[in-house]
Amino acid sequence: MILEHMQLYFSDRGVFGMKIIDLFNKNKQTVSFEIFPPKLETPIETIYEKLGDFALMKPDFISVTYGAGGTKKGRTLEIASKIKKEHGIESLAHFTCVGHSIDEINFMLRKLREEKIENLLALRGDPPVDVPDFDYSRNVFPYASELIRHIRRQNGFCIGAACYPEGHVHSTRIRKDIYYLKLKVDEGVDFLITQLFFDNRIFYDFMDKISMVNIKCPVLPGIMPIFKADQIKRIASMCGASMPAKLVLLLDKYGNTPDMQKAGIDYASNQLRDLLDNGVHGIHINTMNNVEATRTILQNIGLLRVTVP
Ligand code: FAD
């Protein structure tokens, strides 16, 4: 099964692996998941137990987030490695530079190479919200574009980066955000993944805008299903995602009840179906580590590739 799933090739460094960019070059619409490492006080096995279930859904790759401020970075590496080695699924390790010295960044890049992880989502990152006196003095790269330039010089990695259809939450002008995005892509970005959004029209407008500045790399829309009204309001306010009226009505109607999860899964499924119909390169589902919800979404959109008991 592992060999069937993986498209293996012998890379220039003489190790087996697959670059995500090669999937897009095959002209197929990819399906990928985002998961996050458990909190440090929670055993790492809690996510390992779920990896097999996620792998059974045969995503093209699974991305693993990096804790704000670089916390849980060891866990990102360990989980990304496990996804690849034990489950035969390609992994994408998120990698942030905020608060890291150049030695720490190079050490992490070396570790990623040792684990034969070829795909990175290179990010500036944010400091942890609960660390008000966060030490910025160790910051070596103020923006993701500089991290990307550094990684690109080392050669060998397939590099993804973040983009923001509604503008980064701290940016004052969307036009400026797109200007900096173009600089970032030109440093050698292979593909982009968007911040979550709830209105596909925003994504389509964004695609028009970036095409006008000649950004041509594949862009994966990141979609997050809603499970509870309070949870999604908190997340949306942190990342600056706006909510269309029809979603606000759903949140008002179902709040934090179990029916919200069903409505949220339907909402995400409709968004994803529409995106696929409109020819996106692929879809990236922020699973929130919820296996059942992810499986239901794939079933809803006709992309559950195996029957799971
Ligand atoms: P950048 O691309 O550097 O952009 C940050 C801001 O700076 C933007 O407003 C941009 O317009 C502006 N800017 C860029 N260059 C310049 C310049 N030269 N001069 C002036 N302004 C400039 N965070 C985590 O901690 N861990 C994760 O795992 C994680 N995963 C993410 C996954 C996705 C798909 C997305 C969309 C975000 C993720 N984030 C994650 C959040 C991200 O780290 C934050 O949004 C962070 O504030 C910005 O990171 P970036 O890489 O987009 O930064």
Side-chain angles (χ1 to χ4, degrees):
M1 184 197 100
I2 289 177
L3 281 177
E4 176 203 315
H5 182 86
M6 288 181 84
Q7 290 139 319
L8 299 171
Y9 79 108
F10 215 60
S11 81
D12 51 356
R13 294 192 315 282
V15 294
F16 279 107
M18 181 182 65
K19 295 199 162 91
I20 287 169
I21 187 66
D22 293 332
L23 288 172
F24 303 125
N25 291 339
K26 287 181 198 298
N27 263 344
K28 61 174 284 209
Q29 287 182 304
T30 57
V31 175
S32 51
F33 302 157
E34 177 185 291
I35 62 170
F36 58 84
K39 290 188 175 136
L40 290 174
E41 57 275 20
T42 308
I44 198 158
E45 285 71 24
T46 53
I47 189 70
Y48 288 166
E49 285 157 17
K50 296 182 178 187
L51 288 184
D53 292 330
F54 279 124
L56 270 178
M57 294 179 237
K58 297 193 174 182
D60 291 288
F61 67 90
I62 298 179
S63 81
V64 188
T65 64
Y66 201 78
T71 54
K72 301 192 275 182
K73 60 179 183 264
R75 290 196 154 185
T76 301
L77 180 68
E78 204 174 324
I79 297 165
S81 174
K82 192 121 179 151
I83 290 168
K84 195 167 162 129
K85 286 188 186 147
E86 287 192 17
H87 299 283
I89 304 282
E90 198 47 61
S91 56
L92 170 66
H94 294 212
F95 187 92
T96 70
C97 55
V98 69
H100 286 333
S101 68
I102 190 71
D103 287 345
E104 286 167 334
I105 288 172
N106 287 338
F107 175 77
M108 273 303 284
L109 289 173
R110 258 198 319 278
K111 290 297 233 190
L112 287 159
R113 270 177 201 288
E114 279 166 25
E115 293 299 319
K116 309 221 181 329
I117 291 167
E118 308 220 39
N119 303 290
L120 300 184
L121 191 71
L123 301 149
R124 182 192 69 181
D126 289 319
V129 276
D130 54 348
V131 185
D133 52 353
F134 189 76
D135 179 12
Y136 280 97
S137 66
R138 296 191 309 159
N139 254 31
V140 58
F141 302 129
Y143 298 109
S145 53
E146 294 169 39
L147 172 68
I148 289 162
R149 190 182 312 149
H150 178 71
I151 299 173
R152 193 47 87 202
R153 279 200 203 112
Q154 312 218 349
N155 206 8
F157 287 108
C158 171
I159 304 176
C163 65
Y164 303 84
E166 298 183 66
H168 185 270
V169 67
H170 295 137
S171 83
T172 50
R173 294 270 188 288
I174 290 181
R175 198 146 46 104
K176 248 167 75 180
D177 223 40
I178 290 179
Y179 169 80
Y180 290 125
L181 179 64
K182 167 74 174 153
L183 294 185
K184 177 160 83 171
V185 170
D186 286 350
E187 290 293 349
V189 169
D190 291 306
F191 65 97
L192 292 165
I193 303 184
T194 73
Q195 183 58 277
L196 61 97
F197 57 89
F198 299 108
D199 186 342
N200 288 0
R201 291 173 303 180
I202 291 173
F203 174 78
Y204 300 133
D205 284 350
F206 172 72
M207 292 303 287
D208 289 343
K209 286 181 198 142
I210 65 171
S211 122
M212 284 184 325
V213 296
N214 223 14
I215 293 177
K216 294 206 153 86
C217 65
V219 181
L220 294 183
I223 298 296
M224 180 181 283
I226 296 161
F227 300 133
K228 285 185 175 164
D230 285 353
Q231 174 202 31
I232 206 67
K233 283 182 197 164
R234 188 175 47 80
I235 293 173
S237 66
M238 270 160 45
C239 70
S242 60
M243 299 200 179
K246 62 180 175 185
L247 179 57
V248 174
L249 291 177
L250 282 183
L251 298 184
D252 284 350
K253 186 167 174 192
Y254 297 117
N256 297 324
T257 67
D259 287 343
M260 184 69 249
Q261 170 149 338
K262 187 179 175 314
I265 287 173
D266 286 347
Y267 192 93
S269 304
N270 288 337
Q271 269 194 287
L272 292 165
R273 215 177 282 117
D274 178 71
L275 289 161
L276 289 165
D277 288 348
N278 278 282
V280 289
H281 279 94
I283 49 170
H284 193 63
I285 303 174
N286 295 328
T287 67
M288 306 295 282
N289 295 357
N290 188 324
V291 170
E292 268 308 311
T294 308
R295 192 182 291 143
T296 308
I297 289 172
L298 290 188
Q299 208 152 23
N300 287 348
I301 61 176
L303 288 180
L304 192 59
R305 292 169 180 170
V306 283
T307 312
V308 184

